[in-house]
């Protein structure tokens, strides 16, 4: 998967993509992540990429020209399966959406800033609008980092155990069950005996029951169609 990210703050994204699973995916050649500075396509020598809102009001808006110039340049080099805009009013990122997007090959992500982007960019280029939650961030960069991590970890060969991603929370609309490791007893708290039994079918049954219980307690909305 190739991911091109358009941002006016590429420094914010350099660190998240230089560590852990995302770095491993890049080292293995399973993912390419390219950061593009919007100011490289600024409309003047002062690096201007934003302007005041038509009609008045507080805040600035990212202009069409720098964004369009970057997208046009990238799309001239290769076909893109999606052009994603990170925005609070987009579709909320959930696991099924991440699963679908992880199957794409080439993706552009656009990080908004200030009061957002000129609406004409959304109408002309954007294929997906995604939100990472019902709150407002200073820009789309942190949202892009979340989305990239959610997609890259699903790519075949990235995780050491392919089943790991399939057993994550939300993959089956359930939260993950409790997990334990050594020591088997700590401060008077013992690991459930079933997990030490070696009886795989019973262990899986226990895990499913625990997942259901935890989901009912913490996220009953996920079981609305139960």
């Amino acid at each position: 998967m190739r991911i091109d990210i358009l941002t006016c703050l590429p420094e914010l994204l350099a660190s998240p993509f230089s560590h852990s699973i995302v770095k491993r995916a890049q080292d293995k050649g399973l993912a390419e992540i390219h950061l593009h500075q919007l100011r490289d396509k600024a409309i003047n020598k002062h690096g201007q990429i934003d302007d005041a809102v038509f009609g008045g009001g507080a805040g600035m808006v990212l202009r069409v020209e720098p964004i369009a110039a970057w997208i046009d340049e990238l799309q001239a080099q290769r076909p893109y399966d999606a052009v994603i805009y990170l925005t609070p009013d987009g579709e909320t990122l959930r696991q099924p959406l991440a699963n679908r997007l992880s199957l794409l090959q080439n993706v552009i992500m656009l990080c908004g800033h200030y009061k957002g982007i000129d609406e004409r960019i959304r109408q002309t280029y954007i294929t997906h609008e995604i939100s990472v939650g019902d709150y407002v961030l200073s820009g789309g960069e942190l949202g892009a980092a979340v989305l990239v991590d959610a997609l890259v970890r699903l790519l075949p060969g990235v995780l050491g155990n392919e089943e790991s991603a399939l057993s994550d929370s939300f993959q089956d609309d359930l939260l993950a069950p409790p997990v334990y490791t050594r020591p088997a007893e700590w401060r008077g708290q013992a690991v459930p005996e079933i997990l030490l039994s070696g009886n795989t079918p019973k262990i899986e049954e226990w895990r499913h029951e625990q997942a259901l219980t935890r989901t009912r307690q913490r996220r009953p909305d996920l079981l609305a169609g139960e």
Side-chain angles (χ1 to χ4, degrees):
M1 171 179 275
R2 177 187 171 109
I3 302 173
D4 290 89
I5 302 178
L6 310 182
T7 170
C8 59
L9 292 170
E11 301 83 1
L12 268 180
L13 293 170
S15 178
F17 300 152
S18 301
H19 302 279
S20 191
I21 289 173
V22 177
K23 181 180 186 300
R24 183 191 310 165
Q26 295 176 87
D27 291 343
K28 288 183 175 181
L30 301 174
E32 291 183 39
I33 302 173
H34 301 270
L35 304 178
H36 305 284
Q37 170 61 266
L38 283 172
R39 295 190 189 281
D40 290 346
K41 307 293 185 183
I43 63 169
N44 55 36
K45 64 180 181 180
H46 304 295
Q48 183 182 357
I49 58 173
D50 62 340
D51 216 326
V53 184
F54 273 132
M60 306 289 278
V61 175
L62 288 175
R63 293 179 59 120
V64 294
E65 301 97 329
I67 299 172
W70 264 123
I71 296 177
D72 287 344
E73 180 177 313
L74 291 169
Q75 289 184 331
Q77 297 171 8
R78 65 189 61 80
Y80 282 86
D81 305 301
V83 180
I84 299 170
Y85 175 43
L86 283 303
T87 172
D89 57 2
E91 177 182 359
T92 301
L93 177 61
R94 302 188 187 279
Q95 195 61 47
L97 176 58
N99 292 345
R100 293 194 300 272
L101 293 176
S102 72
L103 302 176
L104 304 181
Q105 185 173 359
N106 298 318
V107 174
I108 294 174
M109 295 184 188
L110 171 60
C111 301
H113 217 71
Y114 312 115
K115 293 295 287 185
I117 64 174
D118 190 293
E119 184 68 19
R120 290 167 291 186
I121 290 292
R122 300 172 81 161
Q123 295 172 352
T124 303
Y125 294 103
I126 304 302
T127 63
H128 298 71
E129 298 188 348
I130 297 177
S131 167
V132 295
D134 295 339
Y135 46 86
V136 178
L137 298 170
S138 298
E141 286 76 17
L142 297 181
V146 169
L147 180 57
V148 168
D149 192 280
L151 302 187
V152 168
R153 69 188 314 279
L154 295 172
L155 300 178
V158 171
L159 298 180
N161 183 343
E162 294 299 329
E163 295 183 3
S164 181
L166 298 178
S167 62
D168 287 339
S169 292
F170 306 112
Q171 282 290 11
D172 52 3
D173 289 330
L174 295 175
L175 300 182
V179 293
Y180 301 85
T181 188
R182 294 180 178 85
E185 185 171 338
W186 177 77
R187 295 184 180 178
Q189 301 177 65
V191 172
E193 289 189 14
I194 185 64
L195 298 178
L196 308 176
S197 68
N199 188 330
T200 301
K202 289 293 185 181
I203 290 173
E204 291 306 313
E205 181 180 337
W206 179 89
R207 284 174 171 160
H208 181 68
E209 291 173 353
Q210 292 294 313
L212 277 172
T213 298
R214 178 164 285 186
T215 306
R216 288 194 184 102
Q217 292 173 343
R218 303 184 182 189
R219 288 292 305 277
D221 57 296
L222 295 175
L223 298 173
E226 183 183 17

